[in-house]
Amino acid sequence: MSKKIAILTGGGDCPGLNAVIRAVVKSSLRNGWQVYGVLQGFSGLLDPENKVIEMNEEHVRGILHIGGTILGTTNRANPFEYVEDGEKKDVSSRVKDNFAKLGLDALICIGGDGTLSIANQFSQMGLPVIGIPKTIDNDLASTVITFGFDTAVNNATDALDKLHSTAESHERVIVVELMGRYAGWITLNAGVSGGADVILIPEIPFNMEYVCQKIESRYNKGRKFAIVAVAEGAKPKGASELFSKGKGEEGRQEVVLGGIGEWVANEIRQRTKRDTRTLTLGHLQRGGTPTTFDRLLSTRFGAAAVRMVKDGQFGIMVALAPPNVVAVPLEEAIKNSKQVPHDSDVVLSARQIGISFGD
Amino acid sequence: MSKKIAILTGGGDCPGLNAVIRAVVKSSLRNGWQVYGVLQGFSGLLDPENKVIEMNEEHVRGILHIGGTILGTTNRANPFEYVEDGEKKDVSSRVKDNFAKLGLDALICIGGDGTLSIANQFSQMGLPVIGIPKTIDNDLASTVITFGFDTAVNNATDALDKLHSTAESHERVIVVELMGRYAGWITLNAGVSGGADVILIPEIPFNMEYVCQKIESRYNKGRKFAIVAVAEGAKPKGASELFSKGKGEEGRQEVVLGGIGEWVANEIRQRTKRDTRTLTLGHLQRGGTPTTFDRLLSTRFGAAAVRMVKDGQFGIMVALAPPNVVAVPLEEAIKNSKQVPHDSDVVLSARQIGISFGD
Amino acid sequence: MSKKIAILTGGGDCPGLNAVIRAVVKSSLRNGWQVYGVLQGFSGLLDPENKVIEMNEEHVRGILHIGGTILGTTNRANPFEYVEDGEKKDVSSRVKDNFAKLGLDALICIGGDGTLSIANQFSQMGLPVIGIPKTIDNDLASTVITFGFDTAVNNATDALDKLHSTAESHERVIVVELMGRYAGWITLNAGVSGGADVILIPEIPFNMEYVCQKIESRYNKGRKFAIVAVAEGAKPKGASELFSKGKGEEGRQEVVLGGIGEWVANEIRQRTKRDTRTLTLGHLQRGGTPTTFDRLLSTRFGAAAVRMVKDGQFGIMVALAPPNVVAVPLEEAIKNSKQVPHDSDVVLSARQIGISFGD
Amino acid sequence: MSKKIAILTGGGDCPGLNAVIRAVVKSSLRNGWQVYGVLQGFSGLLDPENKVIEMNEEHVRGILHIGGTILGTTNRANPFEYVEDGEKKDVSSRVKDNFAKLGLDALICIGGDGTLSIANQFSQMGLPVIGIPKTIDNDLASTVITFGFDTAVNNATDALDKLHSTAESHERVIVVELMGRYAGWITLNAGVSGGADVILIPEIPFNMEYVCQKIESRYNKGRKFAIVAVAEGAKPKGASELFSKGKGEEGRQEVVLGGIGEWVANEIRQRTKRDTRTLTLGHLQRGGTPTTFDRLLSTRFGAAAVRMVKDGQFGIMVALAPPNVVAVPLEEAIKNSKQVPHDSDVVLSARQIGISFGD
């Protein structure tokens, strides 16, 4: 039976977005369906004439490995709290009406926390919604992994690789601030894969004394350099909100000024008198060509969403439960975040090979 | 309590070997243990004076991202069927004796089918053995994934990416033969991630007619090129042993001559009259720097093995059961291979986006 | 003064083609000119209604780093010897007429030997033609370097890097056949950069005895592996046409069958009894994202061509004479090919560090 | 005739250093010479017992593609102004004496401005010195290009590539500060290759008004993002020393705090009200695996230096004059720096395709 479905993306850039869109479009067309792309997230559904376009094979040709999203700029507008004429309004019914007018049978929403929460609200209003999780931080409990994360870890590891020779040649401590405000997955994985000496993550409050001890012990052994990987949300033991103010969009901090990386570097410099530099990777982590893994996962997520539309499964989110992609209730999925457990075997392994968490 | 442990690798090259060795050495040293590297697989234990060396931090410095293995050349010698003076002998007791003479408390064996089967035999003879799986083909049922596989898929995808523009510019069909004699994982994953149009794997016997139909349908739509990814063990429906003879070491075929890739290319050329070329990736898939994922997994496997030595767990193999690394009985692990299930969601997803399996 | 110019590409795929096209289109549009893309090389000018399209900024957006060519498939048709209705005809006057009908002021031709020779013939017939050299082999004397070459060398070096660990781990000789039928530049540069032990190029006929001596001397020193880089046009001393027959399009040989790489590998295997494997890189060398260097050179070539149109300089080819891009007479440029001189300092340097040329 | 030569490196990290050292060592050994590595630059010659080591093939195995330098940490100590016991002294005669005691026939010095100036002073004192230029900024007039530069441009371009999709998805202006205090080569080349919209270099003082005009014109055309590449030494028109104070080692500024990138971003943010972010690449540019080009150039430089020792040519520096590596007088070489000429065809080409230099 022919269907009409729409796809939208919300929130920040994430490697693999185009691969998801490609899979949704190709799978839908092969089912004989019509598929529409919604530009600029949910706000596109407030202006369907200009921002909802029918998609064909041509739109998704050659985009499997291209970063960004062909659905134009991401957008965080929330129809339940929409700012119009200087006021916040609930315009969700307009979205619902337009959905009906367009004759749509399903709405596939690719997004993070924010976007999926909105998707869930629409689901509860009766819209046939399917969510595809997009969180580069991999902080969602309902899925083993999300697309974009492998690319981010890869980009961060690549940076750590590059910094090694320079740190060694110049006898320096280099502190690299990586993404991860609430969850340290990127920093943990990249830190281990990139040979960091110290890894500081939000889940394990650190003590500068132990951080400096680790660095000194290296210098004393004749290894006169060190690499410190710090998640943007890492905090010294006892600190409360010291480092979390003044952050940008969704709390993502992309400017070094006053960031935890710089703070840690300053402390190391003062305490050890070692030549210490800092670097904030910021946007470099989330850009570029998605890795092979992310292209595959994105394709699987997109195709699975279309299978679920076919099966009439709504109000759910696709998730990876190896070796399968499964459906989990959207309501539940958005509630459970995933932090690095202190007894995670990655943490244990890191400690075993001598990496310090500053605790 | 101080321990003396040894580590050996057997079988072919696999990206991540050095990262495993590094993790074992670093973890052991931090436990205050002595750790020995055995050169040239099990045969090194027949000549401990020359081929068993004590390892320290210096040996594993800077090797996290280096391909190959610092334990020298791989070796497939089997002490239970050892060729000496032109005869096959069982020299396993000499291995056992040397193990005792060296005062070893544990032997960590990194290897595939062959090596782990030997390890299991020694385990049954009473040696305290731990296996770390090494199969670039990812064909082991007891672990969700093995190290080296992600790098191989990545290398294969990179090749498919490169071939795309040339196939398109020259209006050609390009057939790429990838690794995978019994299991099609590399070809399946790389095929999806690299945008192949046809994927042929051992698990799904193919029909040249359907392969050519897919190609023709592309040309008819104006897409005048096609990429066909063929696993070395793929077979046309009904073929028995047609393509499996004359292969090299462990059945791995690295020369195009008479390979399935060339056979498929010839068939396409004759049936469709399209300009068709073939390429065998061979060694290019298993070489080079391990990916971030493989560095991490290798480190986790190595560290987990040392934890198991500490816990006195032997006769087991480390395995990934996300999010944990666990121990599975070696005896069982070597028995269960893993092929691509026909209803795997990767296969389903591939079909949904229009990829043909020739069936 | 406003102008109308056209651009076409001929011959095989070459990384950087899109960057040249982008530079020509952007530069022309900023001059207030109209710019037309001709599809399928010179044959596009025989069918201007379907194959000559006006180009705008949208056409060249996001293509700087994309391989292939947006001007569709390459094409080697020669209007001076055009095959129509089963006969070879000279249809060059039709091209000239169409050029006039389109009201074109200039034709920029990107191509190799073949395409530039045709371009030169049209130039002599009075068409305002500018050539941009495209030879991945870098075998043109009039320019220090051509775009695509750096990417090809890079891809070849990357392959040599990957083969190293496997050759070493498996104690093997690996023979890699690289591009270069008449000129050994790719093989020479990649061989040195990728750490090959033996480099065989068309310019230096080799002797298998010396090749094998080099390999044996490595094994005797305990370095039990070797990498041999062979250009497809390399020949043993005294051989005449032994290896040059049966090659494909423009003499490019992409199938290993009967190639020089396989021949060399067989000889090594028989003479040294060493485990020897062979691999033909083929299309992998000319595909993929252009390197930074090639993107820059391509952009410079494209922009320079537009400057020359503005200056009314025709019958010329753009060329790199560091630090400048200059114009050289097309007539001359197509005559002078460039081979590796025996006393090139690259050859000398390679010999100094112990690389054998088999002579 | 057998010789004894020494090699030292001074100054900062530079991709290709190991490839130079490898070429010098291999070439010397094949000449039957002895070759010594001096640790920690010129200061190593003050302590020959601990810091001058004889080198063999083993030392340089597998380092062709490894970043950093096996000669240990770089060092900027100047024997003519050596700080000892809290005083500056001229200890050059001790260097000369040790050189004699070691029985050395030549000293090959790899370094930048500082190191080569010292080398020149020793040359004038009669030491047989050969210089190999090492300046990642490529600001030396006597050689067309220096090793490390291609890798730096490549790393910078890679970063620009990654930032594109994010800038576009988030509708942002991203300002990237790149290396280049006195010369804008890295920023110019990476800017063109990486598709920057604005390039600001020391050679062309900029006007923020024009910079913002360029950005606004993009947004007005519907391209709602922009990439601005700024060299660390770029200055607004009329500014004198505003941005050059407080810089680190050799004036290299690696911390964003108060850097020109941040200043430019602030100005753009205030003037255009566009969401603007900044990023300083810093050490990421000079680290990592050298590109193919740099490995080749480094090998040629190292081998050429050994040829010059053989020929008894001293007081010279190796330099690239395509297609040859030549010797230029050291005295002269260190005097002539190379900045981007305003009429360089790279600048012209960049302007033609619409890149603004803010002038």
Side-chain angles (χ1 to χ4, degrees), chain B residues 12-13 68 73-74 155 162-163 165-166 168-172 174 249 254 256-257 277 279 281 283 287, chain C residues 12-13 68 73-74 155 162-163 165-166 168-172 174 249 254 256-257 277 279 281 283-284 287:
Chain B
D13 191 22
T73 57
T74 54
N155 288 344
K162 285 195 174 124
L163 296 171
S165 67
T166 304
E168 185 167 7
S169 304
H170 295 212
E171 299 199 337
R172 278 182 190 159
I174 298 187
E249 144 255 334
E254 272 124 0
V256 85
L257 204 70
R277 304 296 169 105
L279 188 96
L281 264 199
H283 280 331
Chain C
D13 191 22
T73 55
T74 55
N155 287 345
K162 285 195 174 124
L163 295 171
S165 67
T166 304
E168 185 166 6
S169 303
H170 295 211
E171 300 200 337
R172 279 182 189 159
I174 298 186
E249 143 254 335
E254 272 124 359
V256 86
L257 203 70
R277 305 294 168 105
L279 188 96
L281 263 198
H283 280 331
L284 286 179

Side-chain angles (χ1 to χ4, degrees), chain B residues 1-122:
Chain B
M1 201 190 63
S2 182
K3 286 189 192 298
K4 269 183 161 179
I5 74 167
I7 180 167
L8 65 77
T9 68
D13 191 22
C14 190
L17 275 173
N18 278 331
V20 176
I21 296 165
R22 173 179 178 266
V24 168
V25 171
K26 287 195 149 207
S27 300
S28 299
L29 294 176
R30 287 183 61 85
N31 284 348
W33 302 354
Q34 283 173 287
V35 55
Y36 294 85
V38 181
L39 306 181
Q40 296 175 18
F42 284 105
S43 65
L45 284 171
L46 295 171
D47 180 15
E49 267 173 57
N50 296 306
K51 295 184 178 158
V52 178
I53 51 165
E54 185 164 0
M55 302 186 78
N56 56 44
E57 286 264 352
E58 280 306 305
H59 288 104
V60 297
R61 184 172 286 176
I63 67 168
L64 175 57
H65 62 295
I66 304 292
T69 157
I70 57 163
L71 290 181
T73 57
T74 54
N75 189 293
R76 296 172 195 282
N78 178 353
F80 294 93
E81 304 184 3
Y82 198 71
V83 180
E84 213 171 30
D85 309 328
E87 276 179 80
K88 253 190 204 173
K89 301 180 191 172
D90 179 346
V91 298
S92 58
S93 60
R94 267 158 63 193
V95 168
K96 210 182 159 184
D97 291 351
N98 286 331
F99 186 90
K101 274 187 215 153
L102 289 162
L104 292 171
D105 296 299
L107 178 64
I108 296 177
C109 303
I110 317 172
D113 279 25
T115 303
L116 293 188
S117 290
I118 299 169
N120 187 44
Q121 285 180 271
F122 278 116

Side-chain angles (χ1 to χ4, degrees), chain A residues 12-13 68 73-74 155 162-163 165-166 168-172 174 249 254 256-257 277 279 281 283-284 287, chain D residues 12-13 68 73-74 155 162-163 165-166 168-172 174 249 254 256-257 277 279 281 283 287:
Chain A
D13 192 21
T73 57
T74 54
N155 288 345
K162 285 194 174 124
L163 296 171
S165 68
T166 304
E168 185 165 7
S169 303
H170 294 211
E171 299 199 339
R172 278 181 190 160
I174 298 187
E249 143 255 334
E254 271 125 1
V256 86
L257 204 70
R277 305 295 168 104
L279 189 97
L281 263 199
H283 281 330
L284 285 179
Chain D
D13 192 22
T73 57
T74 55
N155 288 345
K162 285 194 174 125
L163 295 172
S165 68
T166 303
E168 185 166 7
S169 303
H170 295 211
E171 299 200 339
R172 278 182 190 159
I174 299 187
E249 144 253 336
E254 272 125 0
V256 85
L257 204 70
R277 305 295 169 105
L279 188 96
L281 263 199
H283 280 329

Side-chain angles (χ1 to χ4, degrees), chain D residues 214-265:
Chain D
K214 170 69 191 175
I215 291 167
E216 283 302 304
S217 84
R218 280 181 61 80
Y219 277 73
N220 292 337
K221 281 194 300 181
R223 299 293 283 155
K224 294 177 184 297
F225 74 98
I227 305 282
V228 179
V230 195
E232 57 186 336
K235 273 186 277 192
K237 215 164 243 166
S240 53
E241 288 310 304
L242 196 59
F243 300 97
S244 55
K245 61 185 170 188
K247 308 277 168 118
E249 144 253 336
E250 280 198 354
R252 177 78 66 208
Q253 175 217 345
E254 272 125 0
V255 181
V256 85
L257 204 70
I260 183 66
E262 201 177 324
W263 186 87
V264 167

Side-chain angles (χ1 to χ4, degrees), chain C residues 106-329:
Chain C
L107 179 63
I108 296 177
C109 303
I110 316 171
D113 278 26
T115 302
L116 293 187
S117 290
I118 300 168
N120 188 44
Q121 284 179 272
F122 279 116
S123 174
Q124 286 167 343
M125 283 171 67
L127 286 198
V129 166
I130 289 172
I132 297 181
K134 179 193 69 60
T135 153
I136 208 162
D137 292 331
N138 199 31
D139 55 357
L140 216 53
S142 310
T143 180
V144 161
I145 199 164
T146 47
F147 71 88
F149 174 68
D150 188 62
T151 304
V153 173
N154 202 58
N155 287 345
T157 302
D158 185 47
L160 294 176
D161 279 357
K162 285 195 174 124
L163 295 171
H164 255 93
S165 67
T166 304
E168 185 166 6
S169 303
H170 295 211
E171 300 200 337
R172 279 182 189 159
V173 180
I174 298 186
V175 178
V176 191
E177 187 178 311
L178 301 174
M179 287 197 305
R181 201 183 186 201
Y182 302 110
W185 295 107
I186 290 177
T187 306
L188 175 62
N189 286 16
V192 174
S193 298
D197 303 299
V198 177
I199 293 175
L200 306 177
I201 56 176
E203 293 87 343
I204 306 179
F206 61 88
N207 189 323
M208 275 314 301
E209 221 176 297
Y210 299 148
V211 171
C212 293
Q213 271 172 18
K214 170 69 190 174
I215 291 166
E216 284 303 303
S217 84
R218 280 181 62 80
Y219 278 73
N220 292 338
K221 281 194 300 182
R223 299 292 283 154
K224 294 178 184 293
F225 73 98
I227 305 282
V228 179
V230 195
E232 56 186 337
K235 271 185 279 191
K237 215 163 244 166
S240 53
E241 288 311 304
L242 196 57
F243 299 98
S244 56
K245 63 187 166 182
K247 307 274 169 121
E249 143 254 335
E250 280 199 353
R252 177 77 66 206
Q253 175 217 347
E254 272 124 359
V255 180
V256 86
L257 203 70
I260 184 67
E262 201 176 324
W263 186 86
V264 167
N266 279 335
E267 289 289 314
I268 293 171
R269 202 178 292 119
Q270 283 168 28
R271 289 167 185 245
T272 67
K273 314 296 177 210
R274 303 292 179 190
D275 185 4
T276 306
R277 305 294 168 105
T278 189
L279 188 96
T280 301
L281 263 198
H283 280 331
L284 286 179
Q285 284 157 98
R286 64 179 356 162
T289 297
T291 60
T292 295
F293 181 92
D294 279 334
R295 297 192 212 172
L296 180 61
L297 185 61
S298 298
T299 300
R300 294 171 72 184
F301 273 6
V306 171
R307 288 200 299 274
M308 290 164 193
V309 171
K310 203 170 181 183
D311 295 348
Q313 274 191 291
F314 296 110
I316 48 98
M317 185 188 87
V318 302
L320 183 70
N324 300 309
V325 172
V326 299
V328 296

